[in-house]
Amino acid sequence: MSKKISQWILVIAGGILFSLVFWQEKLGINTIFFDAFILAAIFYLYANTRQNAVVRWLVIGHLICLAMIILHNTLLSKIAFVTTLLLIVGFAEYVHRSVWFAGGSVLLNIIFCVASIGEQFKQKKTPGKKRKNISRAIRFAIIPVLLVAVFFIIYSLSNSVFQEITVKVEQYIGRFFTSVFDVFSPQRLLFLVFGIYVTGCLLLRSRLNYFSSKESTLKDDLQRTRLPWKKRIQKTSFAFAETVMGRFARGMMALKNENITGVITLLLLNALLLIINIIDISYLWFDFDYMGDVFLYKMVHEGTELLIMSIVLAMLVVLFFFKGNLNFYRRNKWLKYGAYAWIVQNKVLVISVLLRDYYYIARYGLAYKRIGVLLFLLMVLIGLATVFIKIWQKRTSYFLFRVNAWAGIVLLVLASTIHWDEFIASYNLQRKDQVPLDAEFLLTLSDKTLPLLDANLEAFKKAQAAIPRQSSGSDSETDSWSRSKNCDTCFVEQILARKDLFLQKQSHLSWLSWNYADAATAKYLKEKNNQ
């Protein structure tokens, strides 16, 4: 069987499987079936992939994300699952080392998927003789079919037993076609087409190798290049340097002048950042009373965002001065020292930002953005470390972005192993006597937190009683979901309505949507209702 026919069969089979397991279902056990099919098809169509170490590691991370969909079924686990699957496709079908370029190749697959599928369906034109044979068969069948229809009507009218059999056959055929039309409804057919498109994006490689070819020219180690003057003045970096330095950016002393400018810049920036770090260390690091009347909200929300932006700009400043031949300048010792000091000081600044976030969490509890700041600071620390390595070992910006992208993928996979909504709800509710209960935020968390919310109804009742109630047209606490969604402070009513809505949704799903998080929640709520 040729590879083209194999691809054609696998794309159609994958589309049908997608339609069968995902139609009106949520991600659950059905994900295992489709994922197993896709991975098997990829390893079959692109056999060399089996020896690719990067793909093997990606598969391990991908299977972890798949397990987290079955266990936690969070949005983050689904994002991580899709991301790792797309990267497996990119590294299996193309030659890549970087996540960014592999993602670009997958994007080309998605854009040109329709064209790729069209190539699989190209067939030779049907010969004229076959058309004539079909027409001849139809002509010969007309008279026999008409005669059978006439005698069928006569026999059914004259024989009551035959008529009863006929009615039963008609009912059976009617039910059959009804079920067929249910399966092949316009919406279901569109979903099937979408499934074929998704499978095609994953299995069919685009003819364009732009990103693969582009990456093949890039290296990790920085090479000294001597550009002709005409090409040098056309570069954007030269235009910027000339705007700032004027005539000092030209001539034989240009590299020396650029080094002096860099040393002065980093000296001033280090002095300024040293003042900021001294203030933070003396104010935040020791004996800081985060429970007192301080402007904690302003310090965290405004200060943290600006400091994070400053750290990112700091890395860009270093990359600007170590972008090319200045890395090989023999007298760049002080420039390197200034860059190393700048990196170390920014790490101290990261610790200060971390403390701000820690104090805010200790004072007001956990939330998405506060956890996001922690994860982002971890990525910043990795970024600062790789910038240090870039300067020390004379590495390219390609190396920098490649390594940091892989670090981001690893962090994404690890983060998907935690059910953050449940973790946030558990942390905040356990400390409800020490920190303010943000009831409105807790009610926005996923259904997995419903058992926790239900177990702490008394706390929500107190929070609800502390807020003036708006007049309502009904005295029932469990009026309806329509009432609770229009009342932002009816915390208890919203929890009760969400419990009913969750069980109602679960009743419409089959075993294909099963996952542990929903199953455990449904079991708890059913047992609670039976008490």
Side-chain angles (χ1 to χ4, degrees):
M1 185 183 296
S2 68
K3 184 177 180 180
K4 188 172 182 179
I5 296 176
S6 300
Q7 288 177 331
W8 179 82
I9 293 174
L10 288 173
V11 168
I12 297 298
I16 295 172
L17 178 63
F18 184 92
S19 176
L20 291 175
V21 300
F22 290 124
W23 174 249
Q24 294 182 341
E25 301 285 350
K26 64 188 300 184
L27 296 187
I29 288 183
N30 47 13
T31 314
I32 298 177
F33 298 131
F34 185 72
D35 190 59
F37 174 85
I38 292 297
L39 292 180
I42 288 174
F43 289 128
Y44 170 73
L45 294 174
Y46 308 95
N48 294 333
T49 300
R50 303 168 193 169
Q51 311 302 323
N52 191 328
V54 176
V55 174
R56 290 178 180 177
W57 283 108
L58 278 172
V59 168
I60 293 174
H62 178 67
L63 293 178
I64 293 174
C65 298
L66 175 62
M68 292 306 107
I69 287 181
I70 305 302
L71 182 62
H72 296 319
N73 207 251
T74 60
L75 177 61
L76 185 61
S77 65
K78 296 171 185 176
I79 293 174
F81 170 82
V82 173
T83 302
T84 51
L85 179 59
L86 292 177
L87 288 177
I88 290 173
V89 170
F91 281 92
E93 299 177 8
Y94 303 88
V95 179
H96 285 298
R97 290 183 298 153
S98 168
V99 169
W100 302 107
F101 286 91
S105 294
V106 174
L107 182 61
L108 290 180
N109 273 14
I110 295 171
I111 294 173
F112 297 103
C113 176
V114 176
S116 300
I117 292 175
E119 291 178 1
Q120 307 302 316
F121 287 90
K122 286 183 179 178
Q123 296 179 350
K124 295 181 180 180
K125 294 183 179 179
T126 305
K129 289 184 178 180
K130 289 187 177 180
R131 293 181 181 177
K132 290 181 179 179
N133 291 336
I134 294 173
S135 177
R136 184 180 180 183
I138 292 173
R139 291 177 183 275
F140 279 128
I142 290 175
I143 294 177
V145 169
L146 289 175
L147 289 173
V148 169
V150 171
F151 281 96
F152 177 82
I153 295 172
I154 293 172
Y155 294 151
S156 62
L157 293 175
S158 61
N159 192 312
S160 59
V161 177
F162 183 75
Q163 187 177 17
E164 290 178 1
I165 295 173
T166 303
V167 170
K168 290 181 180 179
V169 171
E170 289 177 353
Q171 291 175 349
Y172 176 79
I173 294 174
R175 288 195 298 268
F176 172 77
F177 279 105
T178 299
S179 61
V180 167
F181 284 121
D182 287 339
V183 174
F184 296 100
S185 61
Q187 295 85 356
R188 190 70 182 267
L189 289 174
L190 286 175
F191 194 73
L192 173 62
V193 172
F194 177 70
I196 293 173
Y197 174 78
V198 170
T199 309
C201 291
L202 297 174
L203 299 185
L204 300 181
R205 171 179 170 173
S206 171
R207 286 187 175 184
L208 297 178
N209 293 325
Y210 173 79
F211 290 100
S212 183
S213 301
K214 188 73 174 178
E215 189 180 13
S216 64
T217 62
L218 301 176
K219 299 180 180 179
D220 287 341
D221 296 324
L222 197 62
Q223 302 293 326
R224 187 168 187 176
T225 56
R226 299 183 181 275
L227 293 176
W229 178 251
K230 291 183 178 180
K231 290 185 177 180
R232 189 183 304 175
I233 61 177
Q234 293 176 357
K235 297 186 69 174
T236 306
S237 58
F238 176 81
F240 178 78
E242 188 179 30
T243 302
V244 176
M245 300 175 58
R247 63 185 181 85
F248 294 103
R250 296 174 175 268
M252 298 293 293
M253 305 296 288
L255 202 59
K256 179 182 178 181
N257 295 333
E258 189 176 344
N259 180 66
I260 294 173
T261 302
V263 171
I264 295 173
T265 301
L266 290 174
L267 179 63
L268 295 174
L269 289 175
N270 272 299
L272 180 62
L273 185 54
L274 181 61
I275 296 172
I276 299 298
N277 282 332
I278 290 174
I279 294 172
D280 279 346
I281 291 173
S282 60
Y283 183 65
L284 288 174
W285 286 37
F286 306 102
D287 300 326
F288 180 76
D289 184 16
Y290 59 86
M291 297 298 290
D293 294 330
V294 296
F295 297 103
L296 193 59
Y297 179 87
K298 184 176 182 181
M299 183 181 70
V300 171
H301 280 264
E302 296 181 8
T304 300
E305 292 172 2
L306 291 174
L307 290 177
I308 287 175
M309 184 177 70
S310 73
I311 294 169
V312 174
L313 289 175
M315 290 191 283
L316 294 177
V317 167
V318 174
L319 291 178
F320 174 77
F321 286 113
F322 289 90
K323 63 184 181 301
N325 289 338
L326 196 57
N327 288 274
F328 302 96
Y329 184 59
R330 288 181 298 176
R331 298 180 180 178
N332 68 353
K333 178 176 67 174
W334 289 106
L335 181 65
K336 285 186 176 181
Y337 289 162
Y340 294 152
W342 181 242
I343 291 171
V344 172
Q345 286 216 80
N346 273 281
K347 288 187 177 181
V348 174
L349 187 59
V350 167
I351 297 174
S352 298
V353 176
L354 178 64
L355 285 174
R356 281 174 164 85
D357 197 45
Y358 167 75
Y359 293 144
Y360 201 71
I361 291 172
R363 180 69 178 85
Y364 294 106
L366 282 172
Y368 290 135
K369 289 184 179 180
R370 297 161 208 170
I371 294 173
V373 168
L374 297 177
L375 297 177
F376 184 80
L377 288 177
L378 179 58
M379 282 299 302
V380 167
L381 286 175
I382 296 172
L384 289 170
T386 52
V387 169
F388 180 90
I389 295 172
K390 169 186 162 46
I391 299 172
W392 180 39
Q393 297 186 352
K394 296 183 178 66
R395 296 298 180 92
T396 61
S397 297
Y398 165 75
F399 161 82
L400 192 69
F401 290 109
R402 183 174 66 84
V403 172
N404 280 277
W406 279 116
I409 295 300
V410 172
L411 185 60
L412 176 64
V413 173
L414 293 178
S416 70
T417 60
I418 300 174
H419 198 299
W420 292 106
D421 283 14
E422 186 180 22
F423 183 73
I424 291 171
S426 177
Y427 180 91
N428 291 354
L429 289 170
Q430 285 177 4
R431 290 159 180 80
K432 58 181 178 293
D433 296 329
Q434 290 82 32
V435 301
L437 184 66
D438 191 350
E440 293 184 14
F441 168 69
L442 290 176
L443 289 174
T444 64
L445 300 178
S446 67
D447 292 331
K448 182 64 166 63
T449 62
L450 285 175
L452 286 170
L453 302 183
D454 183 73
N456 290 271
L457 276 180
E458 291 300 322
F460 286 97
K461 287 180 180 179
K462 292 180 181 179
Q464 182 171 311
I467 300 174
R469 296 291 299 275
Q470 298 177 354
S471 60
S472 172
S474 174
D475 294 329
S476 173
E477 285 191 351
T478 58
D479 182 17
S480 66
W481 173 250
S482 61
R483 178 193 165 189
S484 61
K485 74 177 182 181
N486 292 325
C487 179
D488 295 333
T489 58
C490 301
F491 305 136
V492 176
E493 291 90 329
Q494 290 187 54
I495 294 173
L496 297 176
R498 279 189 58 187
K499 289 164 57 179
D500 294 337
L501 184 63
F502 172 78
L503 292 175
Q504 183 181 356
K505 287 181 179 178
Q506 287 296 112
S507 65
H508 292 92
L509 299 174
S510 72
W511 63 273
L512 290 169
S513 299
W514 188 93
N515 62 83
Y516 176 78
D518 288 345
T521 303
K523 181 181 178 182
Y524 171 88
L525 296 180
K526 289 177 181 178
E527 290 178 352
K528 189 75 174 180
N529 291 339
N530 293 331
Q531 290 178 358

